[in-house]
Amino acid sequence: MRLSEYFLPTLKETPAEAQIVSHRLMLRAGMIRQASAGIYSWLPLGFLVLKKIERIVREEQDAAGCQEMLMPTIQPAELWRESGRYDDYGKEMLRIRDRHERDLLFGPTNEELITEIFRASVKSYRALPKLLYHIQWKFRDEVRPRFGVMRGREFLMKDSYSFDIDFESAKRSYNKMFIAYLRTFHRMGLKAIPMQAESGPIGGDMSHEFAILAETGETGVFCHRDLLGFEVPGDDLDYGSDLQPIVDKWTSLYAATDDKHDTAREPELGEALVKARGIEVGHIFYFGAKYSKPMGAFVTGPDGAEVAVEMGSYGIGVSRLVGAIIEASHDEAGIIWPEPVAPFAYGVINLKADDPTCTDVCEKFYRALGSDALYDDRDERAGVKFADMDLVGLPWQIVVGPRGVKNGTVELKSRKTGESEEMSIDSALNRVTG
RNA sequence: CGGGGCGUGGCGCAGCCUGGUAGCGCACCUGCUUUGGGAGCAGGGGGUCGGAGGUUCAAAUCCUCUCGCCCCGACCA
């Protein structure tokens, strides 16, 4: 993309309403624009990042055997009356009435709808297990939205739902999602800690919150040091195999958020205790027949008896992750994108746009890199270009200036380390396209 | 939902207390000079001061109501 043509409204100054760093940087880097409290438009750059994150989430869900679908944002109130949540959910649920005076709502989550879909067509245990997910906008009318996209009212969430015939099978589904989450966050360059969370109505330990470590995170994380070094299952993972040992390993050590932290356990952890800040980016839980029973999602078991299906749900805050990644990866100058989620891998900086030689070299890189590059071809001063490129935070900057070009060289600079390497044009081309 | 704060060109702010018809920096447009880390000079465009009532000869400024946004606390992907 040529910056001269790109819609990238960067700001030198920070809008007054933005308090935390990710919000400030997202506004300054021209990623988002607030439409209303907790509701944002995603501008081209922000949207690219959102899509990259979404893709990683999707790939990992698919790999775990979860099937993608799409449910609507607007749901009928009737289903929520069946589960009893229409009254329980309170003011956080945005209620809507259509022209026929029918009660509708903007979905804050989809347990009811998916359960309805399931019950309508699945009648036998033979069709189980099933894992379904969608990535859709949610609306929760938070009393106090804040922190930009980190706690918006409208947000993009990946929510998966599992259906199993019994607890043992439900546990297998749970484990698949547990591991898919580890892999998902890992691929985004994040260190996510699974922490035991409030157990659902069924009890047990089948609920985990995934928090990523970030200095500016809002929740305190207390965990065993070794948890940070645990290896995340690689691409060779077979989801059909027994995943329990992996989950057992990851849940064997102490990990809690501040509100669940037990200070009495600190002495036994001793030196191994890590106190850090974190941001919740995922939450998985098993809730048995909580919805299937009242909503009549029954299947016939092998013995001919009807049983309510065992369910679980698994959420990832996709739009929140954009902010969370920035919280975890930035400096004074701006964002530092981990490569897998970067809107562009390379920023080509033409330091002298009116110098034909510089421009020729830049065009060469731009042609070779295609959609991987954001090419600053603007007629601006070098300082402006460096500042904007640092702010936007692309992992690699290819700096093309008259000084180097005269000797046939360009600079390849890492946004993260700030290290710059001067090399010949050809070897630079080989490096970035290789 | 309780407590606090703020609404003045795209962004950051001053002016309000003590009413007299709107200003600064950045950004934008034109020209010249500049050109490896947010340039200089000159010229220029853009705001019915969140909205509605009221007081007054006169309201950004005082009064009333209202809408929006932000912060602190309780809740959440």
Side-chain angles (χ1 to χ4, degrees):
Chain A
M1 183 59 68
R2 288 176 195 276
L3 196 41
S4 63
E5 295 166 2
Y6 199 43
F7 183 62
L8 185 69
T10 57
L11 301 172
K12 204 148 119 185
E13 283 171 295
T14 307
E17 76 265 15
Q19 291 302 309
I20 63 161
V21 65
S22 62
H23 191 195
R24 281 204 286 258
L25 289 173
M26 287 181 78
L27 288 169
R28 287 194 52 212
M31 293 176 66
I32 52 169
R33 164 119 189 134
Q34 181 168 324
S36 173
I39 303 177
Y40 293 86
S41 297
W42 292 78
L43 308 186
L45 187 79
F47 192 56
L48 273 180
V49 176
L50 192 66
K51 286 289 169 193
K52 289 239 171 164
I53 291 172
E54 193 183 302
R55 195 173 84 194
I56 292 173
V57 170
R58 176 175 293 116
E59 285 172 0
E60 291 303 322
Q61 288 295 299
D62 292 348
C66 210
Q67 301 172 43
E68 187 172 20
M69 57 183 293
L70 184 61
M71 287 177 269
T73 55
I74 306 291
Q75 305 178 21
E78 198 42 49
L79 286 175
W80 288 66
R81 292 202 177 95
E82 285 187 38
S83 70
R85 286 210 293 181
Y86 193 67
D87 294 323
D88 292 350
Y89 218 93
K91 291 191 169 178
E92 269 201 15
M93 187 156 75
L94 181 64
R95 293 148 206 267
I96 305 165
R97 187 159 287 168
D98 71 10
R99 62 166 68 192
H100 304 293
E101 300 290 303
R102 281 188 290 244
D103 290 321
L104 302 169
L105 57 99
F106 196 116
T109 177
N110 288 60
E111 281 83 4
E112 282 80 358
L113 199 48
I114 193 82
T115 302
E116 195 284 321
I117 291 167
F118 180 89
R119 73 179 177 194
S121 43
V122 179
K123 301 293 177 190
S124 160
Y125 78 98
R126 290 170 190 268
L128 298 181
K130 280 280 178 292
L131 267 167
L132 300 167
Y133 78 101
H134 77 336
I135 299 173
Q136 177 65 290
W137 293 91
K138 305 293 187 290
F139 195 92
R140 293 184 190 172
D141 201 358
E142 299 269 349
V143 194
R144 194 186 153 208
R146 58 185 134 168
F147 304 147
V149 299
M150 298 266 290
R151 183 168 315 165
R153 290 193 291 171
E154 188 185 60
F155 57 95
L156 188 60
M157 179 164 108
K158 186 286 298 177
D159 41 323
S160 311
Y161 303 90
S162 62
F163 301 89
D164 289 276
I165 186 65
D166 57 24
F167 178 77
E168 279 312 307
S169 177
K171 201 170 171 69
R172 283 194 287 274
S173 295
Y174 186 91
N175 288 346
K176 283 181 184 175
M177 287 297 108
F178 187 104
I179 285 164
Y181 276 34
L182 289 177
R183 285 181 45 84
T184 301
F185 300 126
H186 180 70
R187 275 187 63 185
M188 294 173 191
L190 301 169
K191 206 155 233 116
I193 313 289
M195 295 177 296
Q196 193 162 322
E198 209 65 57
S199 38
I202 305 300
D205 59 355
M206 298 260 283
S207 177
H208 287 87
E209 260 182 53
F210 287 76
I212 63 151
L213 297 184
E215 272 173 37
T216 47
E218 18 166 4
T219 47
V221 172
F222 299 84
C223 70
H224 193 289
R225 184 171 306 281
D226 292 353
L227 212 41
L228 302 176
F230 278 0
E231 201 181 324
V232 172
D235 292 339
D236 56 346
L237 176 79
D238 175 9
Y239 275 102
S241 66
D242 182 15
L243 304 173
Q244 197 60 48
I246 303 173
V247 173
D248 284 346
K249 184 186 177 196
W250 278 87
T251 54
S252 62
L253 297 174
Y254 184 77
T257 54
D258 46 6
D259 48 327
K260 291 170 195 111
H261 178 50
D262 179 7
T263 47
R265 300 214 36 192
E266 287 190 17
E268 78 183 68
L269 286 160
E271 288 288 293
L273 177 70
V274 174
K275 297 183 185 183
R277 307 297 296 171
I279 300 164
E280 186 185 352
V281 289
H283 200 148
I284 60 177
F285 44 92
Y286 159 75
F287 46 72
K290 183 180 177 188
Y291 300 95
S292 55
K293 206 167 176 184
M295 294 186 66
F298 297 100
V299 295
T300 308
D303 56 359
E306 280 211 327
V307 290
V309 289
E310 297 279 312
M311 295 175 60
S313 73
Y314 316 87
I316 289 180
V318 176
S319 50
R320 171 181 281 187
L321 270 167
V322 181
I325 290 168
I326 296 172
E327 290 292 328
S329 183
H330 67 271
D331 62 17
E332 302 72 39
I335 303 167
I336 302 171
W337 290 116
E339 293 194 41
V341 298
F344 302 92
Y346 297 93
V348 180
I349 303 179
N350 188 346
L351 289 181
K352 202 164 165 58
D354 58 359
D355 177 321
T357 322
C358 282
T359 300
D360 280 351
V361 173
C362 285
E363 291 288 343
K364 205 177 277 182
F365 277 94
Y366 181 50
R367 267 199 307 277
L369 291 167
S371 62
D372 283 341
L374 179 63
Y375 169 29
D376 192 345
D377 59 338
R378 295 175 303 171
D379 183 20
E380 286 287 352
R381 299 171 64 83
V384 174
K385 295 188 174 192
F386 282 126
D388 272 343
M389 205 55 90
D390 285 350
L391 172 63
V392 164
L394 307 183
W396 297 99
Q397 299 176 358
I398 298 162
V399 183
V400 180
R403 228 158 53 189
V405 162
K406 210 185 312 177
N407 305 317
T409 67
V410 297
E411 287 155 52
L412 185 61
K413 185 178 173 185
S414 159
R415 173 67 181 87
K416 188 172 181 178
T417 65
E419 281 164 23
S420 178
E421 194 180 339
E422 185 162 351
M423 57 180 83
S424 78
I425 293 166
D426 284 341
S427 52
L429 267 171
N430 281 333
R431 175 85 72 91
V432 301
T433 55

